[in-house]
Amino acid sequence: MEKGPLILYLQLPDKIPTKKPKSMTIEWNEKFSVSNTAIDAEHKSLFDALNSFYQGVQSGASNESLAALLTKLADYAATHFRSEEIFMNKIGFPELDRHKQEHQAFAEKIGGFLESYNSGKAPASFEVTHFIMDWIVNHIKREDMKYAKFSQGH
């Protein structure tokens, strides 16, 4: 007897759980260093802003407080991105345009979170915190290290 393809059906929950993870704070350490004192200090401040947002989510802070923390994080990220881009331009980093595109995509995603949050469509959540943390950590380790390495040769 010939058998047909196996089809699996998954029942997804109506709501994705937003249970509090054990810890989502992040601490800057030397593995995040791009060998530029000013940018390393900005990365530390970015981690602090993210940790403040996470702590607000974790403690059940008011919507106004969380919106202010997320806005602070977005504003600081924009300032930091400008600093990085100026540095990359100064050293003649050949992947500057692509790096700028990554920064722009992140800014748009955070802007979307803020818009949804401010309109009441989506609450600040651990998922938002995780996305931001994951993006920042991976961006530094993967993308920022490229200009760090390039700058060492110049």
Side-chain angles (χ1 to χ4, degrees):
M1 180 162 113
E2 193 172 308
K3 294 183 180 181
L6 177 64
I7 299 173
L8 297 176
Y9 294 94
L10 300 174
Q11 179 67 42
L12 298 176
D14 292 331
K15 183 178 176 188
I16 296 173
T18 57
K19 291 181 182 175
K20 179 174 73 174
K22 290 181 182 175
S23 178
M24 287 182 66
T25 58
I26 184 166
E27 291 184 34
W28 189 91
N29 61 53
E30 287 300 317
K31 71 181 178 183
F32 295 111
S33 177
V34 293
S35 301
N36 178 300
T37 305
I39 293 176
D40 283 347
E42 290 178 0
H43 284 156
K44 290 174 191 176
S45 294
L46 203 53
F47 285 13
D48 289 344
L50 175 59
N51 288 337
S52 292
F53 177 72
Y54 167 70
Q55 289 164 358
V57 171
Q58 185 180 35
S59 68
S62 70
N63 290 347
E64 294 80 21
S65 294
L66 291 172
L69 289 168
L70 189 54
T71 298
K72 178 182 175 183
L73 176 62
D75 290 347
Y76 194 81
T79 299
H80 165 66
F81 292 163
R82 282 191 296 277
S83 295
E84 267 192 352
E85 291 165 8
I86 289 168
F87 175 72
M88 288 184 282
N89 188 53
K90 180 180 171 183
I91 64 170
F93 183 58
E95 295 182 38
L96 173 59
D97 288 338
R98 193 181 64 69
H99 203 105
K100 279 181 168 181
Q101 290 172 353
E102 286 214 7
H103 287 167
Q104 182 62 34
F106 178 79
E108 289 172 7
K109 185 77 170 177
I110 296 302
F113 288 149
L114 267 171
E115 186 177 310
S116 293
Y117 186 69
N118 288 330
S119 69
K121 292 180 184 173
S125 67
F126 295 109
E127 287 80 12
V128 170
T129 307
H130 178 74
F131 167 81
I132 297 169
M133 181 183 299
D134 188 57
W135 190 93
I136 290 171
V137 166
N138 286 317
H139 180 78
I140 292 170
K141 286 182 171 181
R142 191 182 67 243
E143 299 303 322
D144 290 357
M145 289 304 163
K146 290 178 184 177
Y147 74 71
K149 184 176 179 180
F150 181 82
S151 71
Q152 298 301 312
H154 286 83

